[in-house]
């Protein structure tokens, strides 16, 4: 097993002696009957914002897509290989999830790059630039708002892009139809790495609010 | 906070009373100094195979991409929005990870769809079909081997597609160059949901082997 | 006693001072009353996979056929000298065994020869080639799957040929009739020489599974 | 693991906790480097006469063919599926064993059938009858010798057929050539189930002798 980094092997041994050992029955059932998660989470790749950690989730609970800055592109059935759209389709049509949560977080590197597209080390022709260009119109407006601090602009764009992803979710016919029928709900959330606070998007106003602060 | 499903809120309270509360310092430092994960994991969206769970990882350890069937497309700088390629670029060029692990797992729904492309409920024109068509050549060969059981074919394609993703990783110049210089290592692993076993890919032979079973 | 190799004589003295001496009564009874084994095992000649060792069996327990790659040919009452068929008939009709186990194993030289029929040192006109040609159709399919590693192809054919032998067992009228009456069960197993693991064939799916891993 | 009879599973657990656990290194090496047995044994299927038990042999020591009455047919390259010839070829040409031992034993059911071919439950058209017809000429002579007791006739034919098998071994060119060059030796042995005695064939006289009785 010299084929994996030591820190992963050591963590895996903890898993086997811990969670797997106490939840063996659950794993076996999940293997035998297949997954039936109620919730899909679209989260960021950031190592500090894993949804299973933030929501203390066990096996079988969350179907999770993770890409840079937790973006959802618009519905675009052009025959290309669409990672996020494929996962969305699978979650909604095959697994029939009841909730989709777009989970953003503070100090997101992708959002930072979008606000400062010329910055090192990401060059103009790269994939990150293209990927984050999905939020370019909002990024331009926010970046030009010199009245907000750097930190405020970052948080603002993080939250705008969550609302933007939720809007894009609704361009997928299967999402729109099921949401209209009341069989699927869309949610936004934003995690503050430093304080551990979770802010949930108010579905009426679009505002982000803290528990008990509604 | 009625804006999020109850099970997520309840899990979040566990997180705040548990992990966050014992690791507050770590979260604050990670927020202040930024993430510096040593390892990127490319994993599946499956709710039963979260890398943070399997590797018992804490905040800041794993930079994680999750898409259906943990696929890496080949290097294709065509100006499109490439979710996985963008994340890869970010991990390698900006975060300078030392390891990339492609983590597959048993009973993968995406692989199952690839082996039976005409099956319900995924129609021919959908995103999952297009996404999984990346492994179509291998899927065809495996699917036609009627001597193997359904389960054996599934496992075979899951492992083939891990090797395929690792080969595609090497089509990215930044990956190839750093691997050749010995500054980046590529790994494959396959998780058995039922038994909890982790099989690591032998980098010489491509075979999947269990701990201490070399 | 210079008529036998030293290592056998030395081992025989161990047997007399050990097992025979503690089980003298059992040997005498088995000699007096005849053998009544409940189980027949069809195993490979391989020196690393003796069924008595793997199943820690004592005298009188296992009626054992061993040929290269633990193959069972189909029922062919053509008047020829059929070693395996004769043993099968003896076990089923005369000894009335209740179980027949086809026991395969990893790294089987016969299977290796079947996957690479032109390889040295076995020439085209030899007995091994003819013997292993019984699994040639499956070998061809497996050998042509270049997506699987050499090791994966080997394991695949080892398991396919166990299922194939079990299917051939059912072509013998005496086996078929007794199995249908519930008086005889057929089993498959595969032994991993390196790890010592025994994988048992699931009689429904044909898959090979490990203890407690259902 | 309900797929195997209980007595085998229980024995397997003994093996894993016993022999495998104390000889793990040896099994791993044997798996990695392949088998290199010095000795091939041609033995009977009888559950009371396993060569690994009688010779107290460990993994990797004996390459073992087992058929009813430990017979070796003559060299007959007719394109048929010859189980014993295939194993012989594999042992001699590929594994390059130094010794071949034909191991017979007392109270052999196959020999008994040969001496009484009309007896129940083996009918004329069966495989056992055909298989044992290899020793029919000797069986006829012995069966007609009414001066010997039933037991003496049985032992006589058991030993005659060992010499007969050794003679047949020499009809294989690869055996003959290597024996003439002094690179392969042929041995006969006969095991008494009741007393545990091993009788070795004197290569000059063909007599069976006990240790220290030469």
């Amino acid at each position: 097993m010299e084929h994996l980094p030591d820190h992963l092997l050591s963590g895996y041994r903890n898993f086997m002696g811990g969670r797997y050992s106490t939840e063996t029955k659950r794993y076996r059932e999940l293997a035998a009957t297949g997954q039936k998660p109620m919730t899909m989470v679209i989260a960021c790749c950031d190592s500090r914002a894993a949804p299973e950690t933030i929501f203390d989730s066990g096996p079988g609970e969350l179907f999770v897509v993770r890409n840079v800055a937790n973006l959802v592109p618009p519905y675009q059935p052009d025959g290309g290989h669409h990672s996020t759209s494929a996962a969305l389709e699978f979650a909604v049509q095959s697994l029939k999830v009841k909730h989709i949560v777009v989970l953003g977080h503070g100090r997101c590197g992708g959002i930072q790059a979008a606000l400062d597209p010329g910055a090192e080390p990401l060059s103009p022709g790269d994939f990150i630039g293209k990927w984050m260009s999905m939020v370019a119109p909002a990024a331009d407006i926010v970046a030009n708002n010199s009245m907000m601090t750097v930190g405020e602009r970052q948080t603002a764009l993080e939250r705008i892009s969550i609302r933007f992803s939720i809007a894009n979710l609704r361009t997928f016919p299967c999402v729109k139809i099921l949401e209209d029928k009341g069989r699927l709900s869309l949610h936004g959330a934003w995690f503050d790495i430093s304080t551990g606070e979770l802010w949930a998007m108010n579905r009426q106003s679009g505002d982000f609010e803290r528990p008990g602060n509604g």
Side-chain angles (χ1 to χ4, degrees), chain A:
Chain A
M1 200 74 158
E2 60 291 4
H3 311 308
L4 284 177
D6 283 347
H7 71 107
L8 296 187
L9 287 178
S10 156
Y12 170 67
R13 280 188 291 267
N14 291 345
F15 163 69
M16 283 308 279
R19 171 149 245 161
Y20 181 80
S21 134
T22 54
E23 297 196 71
T24 304
K25 192 158 162 280
R26 192 173 179 189
Y27 275 99
R28 294 217 174 138
E29 282 172 10
L30 282 167
T33 62
Q35 63 173 332
K36 290 195 179 43
M38 274 192 11
T39 304
M40 175 189 197
V41 178
I42 296 156
C44 181
C45 300
D46 195 293
S47 63
R48 303 164 296 179
E52 285 83 1
T53 304
I54 295 170
F55 295 122
D56 191 40
S57 305
E61 289 185 32
L62 306 180
F63 183 83
V64 176
V65 171
R66 291 177 71 177
N67 59 41
V68 173
N70 43 273
L71 300 184
V72 178
Y75 178 67
Q76 213 166 22
D78 58 7
H81 298 144
H82 295 293
S83 166
T84 306
S85 306
L88 179 62
E89 182 183 272
F90 191 70
V92 172
Q93 300 199 188
S94 183
L95 300 174
K96 302 186 196 309
V97 296
K98 300 293 169 231
H99 302 281
I100 302 178
V101 179
V102 178
L103 173 66
H105 67 96
R107 298 159 203 263
C108 177
I111 295 293
Q112 195 174 10
L115 284 169
D116 188 5
E120 282 292 346
L122 305 168
S123 57
D126 59 25
F127 292 104
I128 274 286
K130 289 289 173 193
W131 178 250
M132 292 310 303
S133 71
M134 269 195 275
V135 297
D140 286 352
I141 291 172
V142 173
N144 287 328
N145 183 340
S146 59
M147 305 302 254
M148 292 167 81
T149 68
V150 169
E152 284 169 349
R153 288 199 291 265
Q154 170 96 12
T155 302
L157 186 56
E158 284 161 1
R159 295 179 173 186
I160 288 168
S161 86
I162 292 170
R163 289 191 291 266
F164 168 87
S165 286
I166 290 175
N168 280 349
L169 281 173
R170 294 198 173 102
T171 64
F172 286 78
C174 64
V175 170
K176 183 78 178 83
I177 291 166
L178 290 170
E179 192 190 22
D180 287 350
K181 287 187 177 166
R183 283 159 53 190
L184 179 64
S185 343
L186 309 186
H187 312 266
W190 181 91
F191 176 68
D192 183 321
I193 290 169
S194 182
T195 63
E197 287 173 1
L198 189 70
W199 297 63
M201 194 186 79
N202 181 312
R203 273 181 277 171
Q204 277 69 51
S205 66
D207 285 327
F208 282 78
E209 300 165 351
R210 286 185 39 231
N213 296 355

